[in-house]
Amino acid sequence: MNLGDYNTFGCSVYVLPAGKTLYGFWLEEKKTGNSELLYVTAERFYRVTHIDLKKETNFILQCAKCENIKCRYNPYYKSHKKIKYQPVIERESIFEKRTQPRVNIMLKAKVLMISDIGLNGNWENYHSAKIVNISTKGCCLEFEGNFEDVMPDVHDNIEIAFENDVYIRQPDDKNNVTIFRLSKISPIIGEVMWRMQSRCGIQFLIAKHDDIKVIADFIEEIAMVKTKI
């Protein structure tokens, strides 16, 4: 997902039963004009908006009418930073800055929802998904079928089992697909950091060192192949 393809026009907070709260930004796709709600972590929401999250209330704010000049998406944000008596707020993005190389792929995976890290689940209850990009720190998952019924929420822990055949679509030809063979990787436990429609961003939490090394070598191999195209 590339945020450059979207305009941010609002934000929302939804307080759910059992003390669960969802935080999101409203995005408009530039090409189609379609609007989507991108859910993020509370920490990321606060670092972008600086809205007091202690108030457990539902609200929807529109950027064009919002008076919160501390939010980086407010039209007056830049002028606010120039006011000396106001605290300087660092420019934040909805997503964390990527610190590791990431490659776009097509890799099928099985996803198991778990409530506690380290809990051995029953893989008969897995959900089908595909990994659309990956780094040594995390990946982006896209769920298949009726994703509304199986999508995890932000901060949920999941376990991912990888298949071995990885499909890489070459940028020069949409019909040209190269198949890589990924060495066997043990299931990796991760945390959902954002979600929008059928996709969500995963941060790896528990993974074997050897498995991370396999992913790193795999990313390097793909990068070398692409440079030769």
Side-chain angles (χ1 to χ4, degrees):
M1 176 182 172
N2 183 7
L3 275 182
D5 298 332
Y6 296 85
N7 291 318
T8 304
F9 65 90
C11 65
S12 294
V13 171
Y14 300 103
V15 181
L16 305 180
K20 194 170 190 177
T21 306
L22 301 179
Y23 305 90
F25 292 96
W26 287 97
L27 306 181
E28 180 185 56
E29 190 172 10
K30 294 178 180 178
K31 289 184 178 180
T32 64
N34 294 334
S35 59
E36 306 287 355
L37 183 57
L38 170 69
Y39 293 102
V40 298
T41 64
E43 295 82 4
R44 174 56 42 179
F45 186 85
Y46 174 76
R47 288 172 62 181
V48 173
T49 65
H50 285 261
I51 292 176
D52 185 4
L53 302 183
K54 294 180 181 180
K55 299 178 181 179
E56 297 296 329
T57 57
N58 298 318
F59 65 79
I60 299 177
L61 298 177
Q62 296 182 19
C63 294
K65 301 178 181 180
C66 184
E67 298 179 354
N68 177 25
I69 60 174
K70 294 181 180 181
C71 176
R72 63 155 293 190
Y73 290 110
N74 188 292
Y76 299 102
Y77 171 78
K78 291 184 178 180
S79 60
H80 160 72
K81 291 189 67 176
K82 297 177 181 179
I83 302 176
K84 294 182 179 180
Y85 60 81
Q86 292 283 6
V88 176
I89 301 171
E90 295 298 329
R91 184 175 177 84
E92 290 285 352
S93 172
I94 292 177
F95 295 135
E96 294 285 354
K97 293 180 180 179
R98 292 175 176 173
T99 59
Q100 299 296 324
R102 179 179 296 255
V103 293
N104 296 324
I105 62 176
M106 289 178 284
L107 171 60
K108 291 184 178 180
K110 297 178 180 179
V111 178
L112 186 68
M113 309 300 171
I114 56 178
S115 57
D116 297 307
I117 296 177
L119 177 66
N120 292 321
N122 181 1
W123 280 101
E124 294 181 356
N125 299 323
Y126 74 87
H127 301 289
S128 296
K130 63 181 179 180
I131 297 173
V132 295
N133 62 54
I134 192 170
S135 75
T136 57
K137 296 291 186 180
C139 66
C140 176
L141 282 177
E142 182 174 340
F143 283 80
E144 301 174 348
N146 297 322
F147 64 88
E148 296 93 346
D149 299 330
V150 301
M151 279 288 290
D153 288 325
V154 173
H155 286 310
D156 282 354
N157 294 321
I158 65 174
E159 192 166 6
I160 307 169
F162 302 82
E163 293 194 4
N164 297 113
D165 288 333
V166 184
Y167 298 85
I168 308 297
R169 193 178 299 279
Q170 305 299 355
D172 61 333
D173 185 355
K174 293 183 178 180
N175 297 318
N176 183 12
V177 176
T178 302
I179 301 178
F180 290 80
R181 189 70 177 174
L182 182 65
S183 300
K184 186 174 179 59
I185 295 178
S186 302
I188 293 179
I189 292 176
E191 180 182 3
V192 179
M193 304 305 291
W194 61 266
R195 58 164 288 191
M196 187 172 78
Q197 287 284 42
S198 61
R199 292 190 176 189
C200 60
I202 308 300
Q203 176 181 310
F204 295 152
L205 296 180
I206 299 180
K208 294 180 179 179
H209 175 77
D210 291 343
D211 292 334
I212 296 299
K213 180 67 166 56
V214 169
I215 294 175
D217 292 343
F218 166 71
I219 291 174
E220 184 177 354
E221 178 186 4
I222 293 176
M224 291 179 62
V225 170
K226 287 191 173 184
T227 57
K228 297 178 181 179
I229 297 175

